[in-house]
């Protein structure tokens, strides 16, 4: 929230009521952004097509049951000429770390509720979203992506 411009009109979505409550509380106490908080499943959420100038996802493609479907939704929800900004974690570009991530994924999923071995570049390549610029950090685990809808 500290990174959004103060004049932003923000629509925040998560299916976890407690995550939304935390975000709402932080906004009320610290940021005062003009924000609507929607509890819903982004797999099936009914938002208007081409409704948003910018679609932001932070650390969520690891968690969705069907990340490909959600990427299609993000592409639909973003206005033509708008931007899709992603900060995601996935399988490492270091082979040894990637093998360990896959071996430990069932345990990591049970503890954290998200997958640690998803191939983020492949997911984006198979989606309609166009990646304009990307950077990887932490042995290639963390992705920053600047994208546009098609
Ligand atoms: C690792 S957390 C990241 C939370 C937040 N985006 C952030 O950056 O702090 C992943 C979030 O995805 C949410 N989530 C997982 N599947 C979802 C779905 N199908 N629809 C909506 N939210 C979902 C979880 O409730 C969880 O809050």
């Amino acid at each position: 929230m500290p990174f959004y411009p103060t004049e932003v009109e923000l629509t925040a979505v998560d299916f976890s009521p407690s995550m939304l409550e935390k975000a709402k509380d932080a906004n009320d106490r610290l940021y005062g952004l003009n924000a609507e908080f929607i509890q819903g499943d982004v797999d099936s959420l009914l938002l208007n097509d081409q409704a948003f100038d910018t679609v932001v996802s932070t650390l969520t493609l690891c968690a969705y049951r069907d990340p490909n479907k959600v990427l299609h939704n993000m592409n639909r929800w973003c206005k033509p000429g708008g931007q899709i900004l992603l900060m995601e974690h996935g399988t490492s570009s270091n082979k040894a770390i990637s093998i360990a991530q896959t071996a430990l994924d069932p345990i990591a999923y049970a503890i954290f509720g998200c997958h640690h071995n998803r191939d983020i570049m492949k997911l984006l390549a198979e989606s309609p979203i166009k990646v304009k610029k990307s950077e990887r950090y932490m042995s290639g685990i963390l992705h920053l992506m600047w994208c546009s809808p098609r």
Side-chain angles (χ1 to χ4, degrees), residues 20 27 30 50 79 98 100 103 112 120 124 132 136 145:
L20 281 178
N27 189 43
L30 301 171
Q50 304 185 356
K79 286 180 185 169
S98 163
F112 300 112
I120 301 298
L124 267 292
K132 295 200 299 195
R136 290 177 82 164
M145 293 175 150

Side-chain angles (χ1 to χ4, degrees), residues 14-16 19 40-42 58-60 63-64:
D14 198 297
F15 68 9
S16 158
M19 287 295 271
D41 187 329
V42 289
T58 58
L59 308 174
T60 58
Y64 298 135

Side-chain angles (χ1 to χ4, degrees), residues 13-17 19-20 38-45 56-66 70 87 89 112-114:
V13 181
D14 198 297
F15 68 9
S16 158
M19 287 295 271
L20 281 178
I38 298 177
Q39 189 199 342
D41 187 329
V42 289
D43 255 11
S44 52
L45 197 64
V56 178
S57 163
T58 58
L59 308 174
T60 58
L61 290 178
C62 55
Y64 298 135
R65 283 182 302 277
D66 185 349
V70 178
M87 180 180 79
H89 72 86
F112 300 112
C114 75

